[in-house]
Amino acid sequence: AIYLGRGATNLADPAACAAAVLAHRPDVVINAAAYTAVDRAESEPDLAHIINANEPGAMARACADLGIPFLHISTDYVFDGSGTVPWQVTDPIAPLGAYGRTKAAGEQAVRDAGGTHAILRTSWVISAHGNNFVKTMLRLSENRDALSVVDDQIGGPTPAGGIAGALLTVARAMVAGQGGGTYHYAGVPAASWACLARETF
């Protein structure tokens, strides 16, 4: 396996990302890179679009040229967040902000590339690494006696390791000849942000 980290490619240069795929000629590509600063995307929509839409589109086209599967991580932010039941793959998307719009555009760019692909929409990613809700709650609790956390948003906290395992399973199946598509992957049980904060503490 070849892992290209942030220092190996410039995500703001889709052509360079595609060139890296063509240079390494792998059996399958998993794209876990994204512009994930949801709030900041509102003030940097062009950069978010390059990284979340143009970059996966360029890589997916390179994979299509090589005849190899391309796996891409997307998000529940392609939906509008309304309703009280889990989203289905067939539900119409309606992103509300720049981040969701750029991720939706990335999904379409991957589909438009014409190659074999899988899009994995996920949500509420948690990990011991990077920035995420659990780490933020732990950091804030060091300096505050109490925190206010919303209790009216429900989701499935999803371990990053679980996402990685799911992607590897899908990648092996696709290399063996299985088709792709769009899938939803979220942790269980569902919880509110407040519930997740309580469990974190």
Side-chain angles (χ1 to χ4, degrees):
I2 300 169
Y3 304 96
L4 298 180
R6 295 174 191 267
T9 56
N10 178 4
L11 297 179
D13 185 352
C17 295
V21 171
L22 295 171
H24 289 288
R25 305 184 72 82
D27 295 325
V28 62
V29 170
I30 298 174
N31 179 36
Y35 182 111
T36 58
V38 175
D39 294 333
R40 196 168 68 227
E42 297 300 326
S43 60
E44 296 182 334
D46 293 338
L47 179 60
H49 188 85
I50 290 169
I51 294 173
N52 288 345
N54 298 351
E55 178 264 329
M59 292 177 64
R61 286 189 297 276
C63 289
D65 289 344
L66 293 174
I68 61 171
F70 180 74
L71 283 70
H72 178 65
I73 300 175
S74 191
T75 176
D76 63 331
Y77 276 81
V78 300
F79 299 109
D80 65 10
S82 65
T84 58
V85 296
W87 293 106
Q88 302 300 309
V89 171
T90 54
D91 289 334
I93 63 171
L96 298 178
Y99 171 70
R101 287 191 299 274
T102 62
K103 292 298 286 183
E107 288 187 7
Q108 193 57 51
V110 169
R111 292 184 191 102
D112 289 345
T116 302
H117 66 273
I119 296 168
L120 191 72
R121 290 177 180 151
T122 190
S123 65
W124 294 32
V125 180
I126 55 176
S127 171
H129 309 285
N131 297 318
N132 61 79
F133 181 83
V134 170
K135 289 184 68 178
T136 298
M137 289 296 102
L138 292 174
R139 179 177 48 81
L140 291 174
S141 71
E142 293 174 0
N143 302 315
R144 299 185 190 182
D145 293 330
L147 292 169
S148 295
V149 180
V150 297
D151 199 28
D152 63 348
Q153 297 177 28
I154 308 298
T158 311
I163 296 169
L167 286 167
L168 289 173
T169 297
V170 173
R172 289 185 189 104
M174 292 179 76
V175 168
Q178 296 293 317
T182 301
Y183 306 94
H184 289 177
Y185 183 87
V188 291
S192 69
W193 288 120
C195 178
L196 181 55
R198 283 192 294 270
E199 288 298 316
T200 298
F201 300 140

